[in-house]
Amino acid sequence: MTEQDPLLKYREQHKHRLNYMPWLYWTLKPKHRAWAEQWQNEYQQYLREIETVEIGKNCFISPLAHIFAERGRTIKIGDNCFIAADCTLHGPLDIGNEVAINHHCILDGGRVGIKLHDQVRIAAYSHLYAFDHGMQLDQAIYQQPVRSQGIEVGRDVWLGAHVGVKDGVKIGDHAIVGMQSMVTKDVGEKEIVAGNPARFIRYRE
């Protein structure tokens, strides 16, 4: 008689939970960690074969995320990162170590790309677009040239939920952007900003 896998009944719900709360991946008990690592290894290998993706060690990437990295738009992911469900990532992207991208985020690197330094935390539903359209009245917006200056987010930066970051912005190390803010200009190191458009509140102590 074949022994039934006692984890089988719960495994799909475990996967579903991890897709949306991937930080739990590193706290799994050994009996769950074994199948979860196999699941991740197989999916990450699939991504490497299909897209122009470089993935570091000990990462979690939800199979429900949308990873698009055609030739010339490489996505580089450092060690100990996670990308949650329903994110859309379009290269070029350069993601450092220990970076967290929570569910339903959109990062589009445009032509120049997005750089996330180590330990960046991006909360759910945040959008970073490293391109922009012209807005002259002599032709429709969709017919105008698209520019791309790139976006850079410094080390140990926290972007709250529903944050938007426009093309050309640089956010300094240790900064915090409050929930539902729209970042239209550079943010200095250790600054806390919030609002639409985002404005300086105070420095991080």
Side-chain angles (χ1 to χ4, degrees):
M1 182 176 179
T2 304
E3 183 178 353
Q4 186 176 5
D5 183 351
L7 303 179
L8 189 59
K9 180 179 178 181
Y10 304 100
R11 191 164 298 167
E12 289 307 310
Q13 184 64 14
H14 273 296
K15 288 181 178 180
H16 191 53
R17 181 178 286 105
L18 291 171
N19 280 321
Y20 286 90
M21 296 185 285
W23 57 89
L24 298 176
Y25 178 69
W26 290 275
T27 65
L28 290 173
K29 295 178 180 179
K31 65 179 180 179
H32 299 305
R33 182 74 185 208
W35 62 257
E37 285 185 351
Q38 181 180 356
W39 173 48
Q40 277 297 298
N41 289 338
E42 291 172 356
Y43 180 65
Q44 291 177 27
Q45 184 56 38
Y46 163 80
L47 280 178
R48 292 186 183 98
E49 293 171 358
I50 299 299
E51 301 288 342
T52 312
V53 174
E54 301 173 16
I55 304 171
K57 299 175 182 177
N58 196 31
C59 291
F60 181 93
I61 302 176
S62 170
L64 300 183
H66 313 291
I67 310 294
F68 304 123
E70 58 267 29
R71 187 170 297 177
R73 289 182 174 271
T74 300
I75 294 178
K76 299 179 181 179
I77 302 170
D79 299 338
N80 305 305
C81 294
F82 74 68
I83 299 167
D86 296 312
C87 290
T88 300
L89 273 59
H90 186 207
L93 303 175
D94 187 353
I95 299 171
N97 300 318
E98 300 177 27
V99 171
I101 303 175
N102 283 277
H103 62 87
H104 289 92
C105 290
I106 300 176
L107 282 71
D108 194 312
R111 179 178 53 82
V112 174
I114 296 173
K115 167 68 176 177
L116 305 178
H117 289 269
D118 295 348
Q119 300 177 331
V120 168
R121 321 304 282 180
I122 304 180
Y125 294 95
S126 292
H127 299 166
L128 287 71
Y129 292 101
F131 66 92
D132 206 350
H133 289 276
M135 295 183 290
Q136 300 301 316
L137 283 173
D138 57 350
Q139 59 184 151
I141 288 175
Y142 82 93
Q143 296 174 328
Q144 297 191 35
V146 176
R147 72 169 194 184
S148 179
Q149 301 178 41
I151 293 172
E152 183 174 2
V153 181
R155 180 178 176 274
D156 182 38
V157 168
W158 178 18
L159 305 183
H162 294 270
V163 163
V165 181
K166 75 183 298 290
D167 183 42
V169 165
K170 181 175 181 179
I171 300 176
D173 294 348
H174 311 293
I176 296 174
V177 180
M179 184 183 295
Q180 297 190 354
S181 298
M182 180 63 209
V183 184
T184 60
K185 60 182 181 180
D186 290 355
V187 177
E189 291 188 10
K190 303 178 185 177
E191 288 187 357
I192 299 174
V193 303
N196 186 357
R199 294 182 173 87
F200 174 77
I201 304 297
R202 62 180 175 87
Y203 284 103
R204 221 176 134 185
E205 296 179 357

